[in-house]
Amino acid sequence: YFPGAMQTRGYSLEQVVEQMAFGTEGIYGTPLYVSATYIFLFILFGSFLEKAGMIKLFTDVSLGLVGHKMGGAAKVAVVSSGLMGTISGSGVANVVTTGQFTIPLMKSFGYRPAFAGGVEATASMGGQIMPPVMGAVAFIMAETLGVPYVEIVRAAIVPAILYFASAFWMVHLEAGRRDLRGMDKKDLPSARKALKEGWYLILPLAVLVFLLFSGFTPLYAGAVGLALTIMLILGASLMLGLPSPVIRAVFWIGLGLLVGYMLQNRMETLLWLVVAALLVLSVFTNGGRQTIAQVIDSLAEGAKTALPVGIACALVGVIIGTMTLTGAANTFGIFIVSVGENSLLLSLILTMITCIVLGMGIPTIPNYIITSSIAAPALLELGVPLIVSHMFVFYFGILADLTPPVALACFAAAPIARESGFKISLEAIKVAAAGFVIPYMAVYTPALMLQPGGPLAESMGFPLAVVYIVVKCVLSIGLWGAAVVGWLGHRLQWWERLLAMLAAFTLIAALPMTDEIGFALTALFAFILWRRRRQG
């Protein structure tokens, strides 16, 4: 019944049922398969780490490292939420867990409620683009594109670091403008002490990354990481019941050697037998019985978190089935390509809007599956490199959770911040400015995602192109932050803010002479600041 270019000839009920229920492009398609394998495993893995005390470890380390700095409360939120996001399969769940601590902390130090909620939402969603797990999208993208997992991580690492550097810079400037000092160092936990007490919680994550980079499948790496997490939780509780430090040390060394031997010889079945043996031993100790209850809670929590994602993936299958049956995805792709023949920028803007609309209110995984199946092929046809085109749609699908009117991550932060979700989303967009800029810069200069190709890499060589684009990106982020917040060592005049904004925009645009103009405007802005500081 759709008019115009999207109109179809119509389909019988039998055809629709067959497409949706009996094929691999309907309900029982790739999204549901991915949900039942990768997603469930990594959600469970994150759930065990959370219950084991990973949130406390990340928070204590963040407090110890940056809590005493200017605007320390918000910097703690950026670091702890970013760290938590690397193991969590849901940015919204991350907001609800770490936000319970970070948002009230920011408010107590003088940050506006909307800004506090915006920082938490931005940092939590940023965790979904930060390797190694990337909300489990890294594994799906690797399988979909037929490239090694390492390639996906390589493409994601620089933009993710820049995203968090941008958020960190924004909260630093906001703290400077409002003169928000850090917390007293003597009241803060020691980062070294926190790592000393909770070091074993990092081991499963380290083993997971090592296995993934060694070429093992995500399913194998995830299963081993999960087994190791349970083993360490149970081992820690058993160790507390052992009589002397020497026996405890022997226990840990013996367990470590056994795990190392099993991993080297790929004896994953034996690994799970050791977990079972530790479970049986735990029954005979008081701490062990509490730990078994903790394991059961983790399993239940993981299942609860995975269920809505599974339902969303089944519904995504229906959307993809509709798109392939009617040919709507192909029609849309042809439209974007026809626009891109005249203007690549306009085509990218259309793709961005599409990804933001399609990604509203949808979890990370189905979000990527929808946007990549509809919008990514069009960008590929316009000459955008394969991984860059998929990263482009993935980034904007993620940013849909920060963008009005739906802004799921911001509305999740609203009751904690006691502020309107819409106001929080407006602040989140300012803080996450780099997230909106980096994908565009990567399309014009793939070196930003460490991908070959593009005129810049051809003219100056790949290593120099990477350094050049990163420096340009850092400058534009710095200028954008100063323009938006209106502070850089002192309050900026309206014309200084306008100059900074113009310099940032010209550095972002990859047009003839824009870089030269951008660097000239940046130099002028820096000279004005230097002169004003000397005078006053």
Side-chain angles (χ1 to χ4, degrees):
Y1 297 108
F2 222 104
M6 304 292 273
Q7 191 172 10
T8 66
R9 60 182 175 79
Y11 303 93
S12 66
L13 180 63
E14 289 81 1
Q15 271 182 295
V16 174
V17 170
E18 191 174 332
Q19 172 81 358
M20 298 302 172
F22 299 110
T24 55
E25 291 183 336
I27 294 167
Y28 301 105
T30 306
L32 203 62
Y33 161 73
V34 166
S35 170
T37 50
Y38 299 111
I39 301 175
F40 186 78
L41 188 62
F42 282 95
I43 284 176
L44 209 56
F45 179 63
S47 173
F48 269 95
L49 284 176
E50 279 181 43
K51 288 282 182 184
M54 196 61 131
I55 294 176
K56 186 180 185 303
L57 174 65
F58 283 158
T59 305
D60 286 353
V61 168
S62 306
L63 282 166
L65 289 175
V66 295
H68 59 286
K69 308 277 185 188
M70 184 169 72
K75 288 174 181 175
V76 166
V78 173
V79 176
S80 62
S81 299
L83 288 170
M84 195 62 211
T86 60
I87 63 160
S88 164
S90 166
V92 175
N94 194 1
V95 171
V96 176
T97 49
T98 55
Q100 298 285 358
F101 165 76
T102 57
I103 293 173
L105 181 70
M106 283 186 270
K107 284 174 68 180
S108 69
F109 273 81
Y111 282 99
R112 290 172 291 120
F115 188 82
V119 168
E120 176 56 43
T122 303
S124 294
M125 293 315 298
Q128 301 295 282
I129 61 173
M130 176 63 88
V133 177
M134 292 169 65
V137 164
F139 316 121
I140 298 152
M141 199 182 288
E143 188 166 287
T144 307
L145 304 182
V147 298
Y149 163 81
V150 179
E151 285 296 311
I152 305 298
V153 169
R154 198 173 84 153
I157 190 72
V158 174
I161 291 168
L162 288 171
Y163 179 95
F164 279 102
S166 167
F168 210 79
W169 177 241
M170 292 297 282
V171 300
H172 176 78
L173 293 176
E174 179 76 8
R177 188 167 77 97
R178 295 180 173 272
D179 197 28
L180 304 174
R181 298 289 139 200
M183 295 170 265
D184 196 332
K185 201 164 185 178
K186 67 175 184 290
D187 297 333
L188 296 171
S190 161
R192 187 178 293 175
K193 188 185 174 190
L195 284 169
K196 193 177 175 183
E197 289 173 359
W199 61 269
Y200 62 91
L201 291 172
I202 299 168
L203 283 178
L205 201 58
V207 169
L208 174 77
V209 174
F210 172 75
L211 291 173
L212 288 168
F213 274 85
S214 301
F216 290 96
T217 64
L219 276 176
Y220 175 78
V224 168
L226 183 60
L228 197 58
T229 307
I230 301 170
M231 192 183 290
L232 286 166
I233 293 167
L234 293 168
S237 69
L238 283 173
M239 187 197 72
L240 293 172
L242 295 174
S244 75
V246 176
I247 296 173
R248 290 175 199 169
V250 170
F251 174 80
W252 275 124
I253 291 165
L255 195 61
L257 289 171
L258 182 62
V259 170
Y261 175 76
M262 286 185 289
L263 288 177
Q264 191 177 2
N265 293 281
R266 292 204 63 177
M267 300 164 73
E268 56 267 31
T269 310
L270 188 57
L271 196 66
W272 284 105
L273 286 172
V274 172
V275 170
L278 288 171
L279 273 168
V280 172
L281 283 171
S282 298
V283 174
F284 300 103
T285 65
N286 290 329
R289 285 193 286 274
Q290 288 173 0
T291 308
I292 289 171
Q294 187 184 338
V295 168
I296 294 165
D297 281 349
S298 301
L299 287 167
E301 196 61 42
K304 276 186 218 167
T305 310
L307 269 173
V309 178
I311 293 163
C313 284
L315 293 172
V316 166
V318 174
I319 294 168
I320 291 171
T322 308
M323 291 291 181
T324 51
L325 181 65
T326 59
N330 194 39
T331 307
F332 182 76
I334 291 166
F335 175 67
I336 287 182
V337 170
S338 66
V339 170
E341 284 171 358
N342 300 316
S343 169
L344 177 60
L345 181 62
L346 194 56
S347 193
L348 292 173
I349 292 167
L350 276 173
T351 308
M352 175 189 77
I353 294 166
T354 306
C355 293
I356 287 172
V357 171
L358 289 172
M360 283 178 179
I362 301 174
T364 304
I365 307 287
N367 186 329
Y368 165 69
I369 294 166
I370 293 175
T371 52
S372 64
S373 61
I374 293 169
L379 293 183
L380 194 59
E381 204 163 319
L382 289 169
V384 180
L386 181 66
I387 292 178
V388 175
S389 63
H390 278 256
M391 283 288 183
F392 186 91
V393 298
F394 171 50
Y395 271 46
F396 284 113
I398 290 288
L399 290 170
D401 278 341
L402 302 177
T403 314
V406 177
L408 210 58
C410 300
F411 279 90
I416 307 169
R418 294 184 183 173
E419 182 58 276
S420 145
F422 182 74
K423 285 183 183 174
I424 290 174
S425 71
L426 293 178
E427 294 292 338
I429 288 170
K430 290 180 193 172
V431 178
F436 289 90
V437 167
I438 288 166
Y440 282 93
M441 294 183 84
V443 167
Y444 287 103
T445 314
L448 185 59
M449 288 188 179
L450 305 181
Q451 300 299 302
L456 195 67
E458 288 169 13
S459 62
M460 61 170 63
F462 183 69
L464 273 176
V466 172
V467 173
Y468 177 80
I469 191 66
V470 168
V471 168
K472 200 168 78 144
C473 208
V474 167
L475 272 177
S476 60
I477 287 167
L479 290 161
W480 171 256
V484 169
V485 176
W487 187 89
L488 193 60
H490 55 261
R491 286 188 179 273
L492 300 177
Q493 303 292 333
W494 68 266
W495 59 271
E496 289 174 324
R497 293 172 75 172
L498 182 64
L499 178 63
M501 197 170 284
L502 282 171
F505 280 132
T506 46
L507 285 172
I508 291 161
L511 301 168
M513 292 301 292
T514 48
D515 282 7
E516 289 83 349
I517 294 166
F519 285 123
L521 290 173
T522 304
L524 177 62
F525 180 70
F527 173 73
I528 289 166
L529 284 184
W530 172 77
R531 192 174 171 187
R532 206 170 140 185
R533 191 166 291 165
R534 285 199 64 182
Q535 288 174 348

